[in-house]
Amino acid sequence: MKKTMALLFTVGFVVVGACSAPEEFGLVECNPDPFAVYNRCVDPEPDAGTDAADAGDDGDLGLDATASNEDPTSCQGGAGRCVPVPEGGEQQAGLWSKEPIALLVATTPKKGDPPLVCPPGMVEQFRLHADLDAPPAECEPCECGPSSGTCTELPASIEVRAGTCAESGVMSVPFDGPAGWDGSCTSANALPAGADCGGEPCAQSVVVSALPGPTTEEPCQPVKATPDFTTKTEWKTAMLGCTANLDDDSCNSTKKSCVADPGLPYLQCVHREGTFSPEDCPMNYRFAWYVGSPEDVIDDRGCEDCACGPPEGGGCKASIRLYNDEACTSQFEQGGLASGYEKCINVVTPGRAIGAKAITDLEYVPGACASGGGTPRGLAAEDASRAVTFCCLYSLYIDIQ
């Protein structure tokens, strides 16, 4: 048989895992035992000698090379194509499907694009996916509420000084409340107007020691125990397997099957449930190899629980009030008190009477807590228990003469 030059046609499949398909176009000689032979790969007028003898030997596919005006691999009046049954391989070929299906492997249609559909006359047998894009969950930042606490203790001491707040080393007299004082109005240690302290008016400033810290303090609580999160789950590759019912006996061979063949970019592939390597494919179905999975995935992505660190900045605050009279009806000064800070108040009109005092508005100031936790956890993966492996026959030759 005369050999002519032909172009091996391949398409831009997105291959899952390893694939033995060529990556480039290349000129090759016509295969004497190809999957599909077009007319110009067969002598239009075969020689009566050696070629005629060879014509009866159809090799692996049982091709009739004398059929110059018909595709010798077609069946069912051209509606189908004769392809070999799977043979050889490390795994028993009989474990794979006996007949191949037409498999289309393409980029997954984007939202709004038309879906992949089988050619007319064929029905869908598989709709699977590969190349899963499912990054970890995106967790919203954790937030902590304020701490909580109670304040009940009063300053340890109150003094009246014979000097302003800016002066040091001056004489002072006690101005504390009574034993067990609860901060309510008291005239204990009151000073009359004109009280003298070593030649200086006593009532020039009032110093209050730091307010004690909280009696109790509870840690912050997360605003949400577990943060909200979003996930992305996309398949980059789609697989559509199509088939049609044809007469298996029309190829007149137990080593061949008549199958529907829509042509490229569809490939003829046998399949088997599970995940298998290319080396497990039948020897005559190793042109391309794919593993597909159902659209729904096993997904346990989420976020760790939020947590809060110890409170910082929490404390107590109050007000000290100074009165002219002993009944606390005529206030002349007021100052704020806080945990950890001494308070000094200058008395306007030095030497005036300080008849009473009171500490009011004692309350807890919430602290802030650093947030923690909320990190992504889990993953999304294909459901391997429902995976299907496809092993595909060599692609078609397309004559360029």
Side-chain angles (χ1 to χ4, degrees), residues 169-193:
V170 297
M171 185 177 178
S172 63
V173 294
F175 193 52
D176 299 325
W181 184 38
D182 61 1
S184 59
C185 177
T186 179
S187 60
N189 297 312
L191 265 72

Side-chain angles (χ1 to χ4, degrees), residues 1 21 25 82 107 169 172 174 211 214 267 271 285 374 397:
M1 179 186 295
F25 293 100
C82 293
T107 302
S172 63
L211 195 66
L267 290 177
H271 63 275
Y285 278 81
Y397 283 102

Side-chain angles (χ1 to χ4, degrees), residues 247-307:
D247 184 0
D248 292 341
D249 296 332
S250 59
C251 293
N252 299 319
S253 173
T254 59
K255 292 185 178 182
K256 292 178 292 181
S257 298
C258 182
V259 298
D261 180 30
L264 292 173
Y266 286 86
L267 290 177
Q268 294 294 334
C269 308
V270 293
H271 63 275
R272 182 178 175 186
E273 293 185 0
T275 301
F276 299 92
S277 68
E279 291 74 19
D280 294 325
C281 293
M283 292 297 292
N284 53 348
Y285 278 81
R286 292 190 176 183
F287 170 69
W289 163 83
Y290 305 98
V291 176
S293 300
E295 183 176 12
D296 51 315
V297 300
I298 299 175
D299 191 349
D300 65 351
R301 288 174 294 177
C303 304
E304 299 290 350
D305 290 342
C306 292

Side-chain angles (χ1 to χ4, degrees), residues 27-177:
L27 289 173
V28 298
E29 293 187 353
C30 287
N31 189 342
D33 293 313
F35 163 48
V37 177
Y38 288 82
N39 290 340
R40 292 197 182 107
C41 277
V42 181
D43 281 342
E45 297 180 0
D47 297 336
T50 304
D51 288 346
D54 292 342
D57 183 7
D58 61 5
D60 195 30
L61 292 177
L63 303 180
D64 184 1
T66 62
S68 59
N69 295 321
E70 297 180 359
D71 184 344
T73 63
S74 66
C75 53
Q76 291 289 301
R81 186 168 301 279
C82 293
V83 297
V85 297
E87 295 180 352
E90 295 181 8
Q91 297 283 341
Q92 294 182 8
L95 298 177
W96 297 85
S97 59
K98 178 182 177 182
E99 297 178 359
I101 63 170
L103 181 69
L104 174 65
V105 181
T107 302
T108 300
K110 297 185 180 300
K111 186 176 182 180
D113 291 345
L116 301 178
V117 294
C118 290
M122 303 189 73
V123 296
E124 180 181 312
Q125 183 173 350
F126 292 104
R127 184 176 292 271
L128 300 173
H129 307 268
D131 297 327
L132 177 63
D133 182 12
E138 293 186 3
C139 304
E140 290 188 352
C142 288
E143 296 182 9
C144 292
S147 60
S148 59
T150 58
C151 296
T152 58
E153 297 184 17
L154 300 181
S157 66
I158 304 175
E159 296 178 337
V160 176
R161 302 172 70 246
T164 66
C165 292
E167 297 178 83
S168 60
V170 297
M171 185 177 178
S172 63
V173 294
F175 193 52
D176 299 325

Side-chain angles (χ1 to χ4, degrees), residues 202-388:
C202 288
Q204 297 188 49
S205 62
V206 176
V207 176
V208 184
S209 64
L211 195 66
T215 307
T216 62
E217 188 171 38
E218 298 296 330
C220 306
Q221 297 298 320
V223 174
K224 292 183 179 179
T226 303
D228 294 333
F229 64 91
T230 57
T231 57
K232 172 186 175 183
T233 306
E234 294 181 359
W235 295 96
K236 295 182 179 179
T237 302
M239 297 181 185
L240 181 66
C242 305
T243 187
N245 293 323
L246 297 178
D247 184 0
D248 292 341
D249 296 332
S250 59
C251 293
N252 299 319
S253 173
T254 59
K255 292 185 178 182
K256 292 178 292 181
S257 298
C258 182
V259 298
D261 180 30
L264 292 173
Y266 286 86
L267 290 177
Q268 294 294 334
C269 308
V270 293
H271 63 275
R272 182 178 175 186
E273 293 185 0
T275 301
F276 299 92
S277 68
E279 291 74 19
D280 294 325
C281 293
M283 292 297 292
N284 53 348
Y285 278 81
R286 292 190 176 183
F287 170 69
W289 163 83
Y290 305 98
V291 176
S293 300
E295 183 176 12
D296 51 315
V297 300
I298 299 175
D299 191 349
D300 65 351
R301 288 174 294 177
C303 304
E304 299 290 350
D305 290 342
C306 292
C308 297
E312 295 183 1
C316 297
K317 69 175 184 177
S319 295
I320 183 162
R321 302 174 185 269
L322 303 178
Y323 298 91
N324 293 306
D325 62 311
E326 295 182 353
C328 296
T329 60
S330 175
Q331 178 178 308
F332 70 86
E333 191 61 78
Q334 178 178 337
L337 306 178
S339 299
Y341 298 94
E342 182 182 80
K343 180 68 176 181
C344 182
I345 302 173
N346 285 317
V347 175
V348 179
T349 310
R352 69 180 301 160
I354 305 179
K357 57 189 172 291
I359 292 180
T360 63
D361 309 318
L362 179 61
E363 63 180 359
Y364 175 75
V365 178
C369 302
S371 60
T375 55
R377 60 168 176 77
L379 52 83
E382 300 91 339
D383 187 351
S385 66
R386 300 166 63 194
V388 179

